[in-house]
Amino acid sequence: MKLGGDQVVNRIRALVANWVHCKRLNFGSINRFNVITSCLYIVLAVICWYVYLYEFVPPAIVDETAIVDSIDSLSKDAKDSKGVCDLYDGSWVVDETYPLYNASQCPFAEKGFNCLANGRKNKGYLKWRWKPKNCDVSRFDVEEVLEKLRGKRVVFVGDSLSRTQWESMICLLMNGVEDKTSVYEVNGNTISKKIRYLGVRFSSYNFTVEFYRSVFLVQIGSVPKRAPKRVKSTIKLDELDSISSKWIDSDILVFNTGHWWNRGKLFEIGGYFKVNGRLKLGMSIMDAYTTALNTWASWVENMVNTNRTRVFFRTFEGSHWSKSHTCKVTQKPLVRSKREYRSHFSDIIKKVVNNMSVPVTTMHVTPMDSYRSDAHVGIWGDNPTVPDCSHWCLPGVPDAWNEILFSYL
């Protein structure tokens, strides 16, 4: 006969009490008896608690069919994910129709990026096209793109890598323009590394492609009074660049920043961070970068009409400097990238953009660029005695960024 929970508890209690009564007669020492009695009552309490739980709390029942269904569901999702088009997950393939333009025939291609004109003999780096795994980047159709941009304003904001993409776009588009003189810099300026604004107008199609030099995106400030002598300049992390008002009325707005966020271009030359008017001498570069990106995100959310303006942020473009800071340009792309796919800067960009309340597209070019150790300027730049494994030859990798950008249109 099965006993109920209360009956079991009462029976155990009676047995323990009887045992204790017998032992009391045998123990001469009260102290020893008290210790053993206390232990027994603890054991009794635990047993009673267990019986109570077993009797009144139903055991957990595992639904095996639910597990099977969940596994099946996960498997289905995994299968579906294999067919997703990720424009930035792929490889470089040889394509004899490349390059898409001749930099020597494009007046807006900076001389320092025209590697062929600067003596590079190997032309193989020009023949590579980016191919995503599960889809294709739309083939560049210059006539179609020119029509899509008619009456528009395209703005690039960032450092010299942004200027390279700006130059690439202009050279790509000029191929479809019959009258080359109808394409001109609006202020008559020549390409310069230091000038803060460059704008090229395609008058036949009534649109402009502009570049604003803003290497940090946020404001560079003065040195506060009583600052340590090592402080020569400040980066105001909570204020966007003073020229940001000129970026607003655009149709396509492309940002980047990253290559100036290092000790050599900050702390070692006296550059430190400032927030709310106060110096932050102990702030790390990554914390500062995050703060600056959040300032940028807030500005986009409050100042840019994303119903009109399509906003992009291109992630960090990895360089191929060796650990000893030497630059060796290879003959071909790496078959398998030996470099780190991830970048802390890129991770911060993706996280900030994902948390924004308005639509912004992250152009995650970090993985695709990591293969192209063959495509850097190297010794074929402005100064052959100073090799360059950060910037890219034109034509080259920036053209692929623009092909992806055009595919979003």
Side-chain angles (χ1 to χ4, degrees), residues 157-163 211-218 235 254-266 273 285-286 288-290 292-293 296 313-319 321 343-349 365-366 390-391 401:
V157 182
D159 53 30
S160 56
L161 277 300
S162 181
R163 189 177 73 250
F211 167 70
Y212 288 88
R213 185 175 185 268
S214 180
V215 297
F216 297 110
L217 300 185
V218 288
I235 314 299
V254 186
F255 292 93
N256 97 299
T257 184
H259 284 270
W260 281 66
W261 294 85
N262 61 71
R263 295 186 61 86
K265 293 184 177 181
L266 287 168
F273 307 119
I285 288 177
M286 287 304 164
Y289 189 81
T290 303
L293 261 289
W296 164 84
F313 203 114
R314 196 180 72 254
T315 59
F316 191 72
E317 316 86 354
S319 63
W321 293 98
S343 155
H344 292 306
F345 292 116
S346 298
D347 290 343
I348 292 169
I349 292 167
V365 301
T366 309
S390 295
H391 295 91
W401 302 342

Side-chain angles (χ1 to χ4, degrees), residues 30 37 39 41 69 76 86 108 110 118 146 148 190 212 216 224 228 276 282 291 300 306 330 333 371 402:
I30 298 299
T37 303
C39 292
Y41 272 107
D69 289 343
K76 183 177 184 297
D86 181 351
F108 301 100
E110 196 171 326
N118 293 327
L146 285 169
K148 284 185 179 293
T190 56
Y212 288 88
F216 297 110
N276 293 326
T291 303
V300 172
T306 53
T330 59
Y371 291 92
N402 281 323

Side-chain angles (χ1 to χ4, degrees), residues 3 62 107 131-132 163 222 349 354 386:
L3 297 176
V62 179
K131 171 67 175 70
R163 189 177 73 250
S222 59
I349 292 167
N354 287 341
V386 183

Side-chain angles (χ1 to χ4, degrees), residues 145-361:
V145 175
L146 285 169
E147 284 300 329
K148 284 185 179 293
L149 294 179
R150 186 182 290 276
K152 306 294 185 184
R153 181 176 178 233
V154 182
V155 173
F156 290 90
V157 182
D159 53 30
S160 56
L161 277 300
S162 181
R163 189 177 73 250
T164 311
Q165 186 177 5
W166 171 79
E167 294 175 23
S168 162
M169 178 177 282
I170 295 169
C171 293
L172 285 167
L173 295 175
M174 281 194 71
N175 265 353
V177 178
E178 291 185 10
D179 180 8
K180 307 299 183 186
T181 62
S182 67
V183 182
Y184 56 88
E185 206 284 323
V186 294
N187 294 317
N189 292 319
T190 56
I191 306 300
S192 167
K193 295 180 179 180
K194 300 296 183 182
I195 195 167
R196 294 212 72 187
Y197 172 76
L198 290 164
V200 171
R201 179 171 175 77
F202 287 72
S203 58
S204 300
Y205 294 87
N206 188 32
F207 72 83
T208 56
V209 183
E210 305 170 34
F211 167 70
Y212 288 88
R213 185 175 185 268
S214 180
V215 297
F216 297 110
L217 300 185
V218 288
Q219 180 71 20
I220 297 176
S222 59
V223 180
K225 294 180 179 179
R226 299 179 182 178
K229 290 184 178 180
R230 68 178 186 272
V231 180
K232 306 299 181 184
S233 64
T234 58
I235 314 299
K236 301 166 75 173
L237 301 175
D238 53 350
E239 293 183 29
L240 213 63
D241 198 319
S242 59
I243 60 174
S244 59
S245 60
K246 298 179 180 180
W247 311 337
I248 296 174
D249 294 324
S250 54
D251 297 282
I252 300 171
L253 186 53
V254 186
F255 292 93
N256 97 299
T257 184
H259 284 270
W260 281 66
W261 294 85
N262 61 71
R263 295 186 61 86
K265 293 184 177 181
L266 287 168
F267 304 148
E268 293 177 9
I269 59 173
Y272 289 86
F273 307 119
K274 189 160 67 172
V275 179
N276 293 326
R278 301 183 64 179
L279 273 176
K280 299 290 183 179
L281 296 177
M283 179 177 275
S284 71
I285 288 177
M286 287 304 164
D287 286 344
Y289 189 81
T290 303
T291 303
L293 261 289
N294 282 320
T295 298
W296 164 84
S298 178
W299 177 85
V300 172
E301 290 172 337
N302 290 286
M303 300 299 295
V304 178
N305 177 10
T306 53
N307 290 323
R308 171 196 169 180
T309 305
R310 185 73 184 268
V311 182
F312 298 85
F313 203 114
R314 196 180 72 254
T315 59
F316 191 72
E317 316 86 354
S319 63
H320 288 85
W321 293 98
S322 69
K323 291 182 179 179
S324 59
H325 205 68
T326 58
C327 174
K328 182 180 179 181
V329 178
T330 59
Q331 293 289 311
K332 295 180 179 180
L334 299 173
V335 176
R336 178 177 297 176
S337 177
K338 297 179 182 178
R339 304 188 63 81
E340 186 63 47
Y341 264 34
R342 295 184 63 184
S343 155
H344 292 306
F345 292 116
S346 298
D347 290 343
I348 292 169
I349 292 167
K350 291 190 292 181
K351 183 177 180 180
V352 169
V353 170
N354 287 341
N355 289 331
M356 292 178 69
S357 60
V358 297
V360 173
T361 301

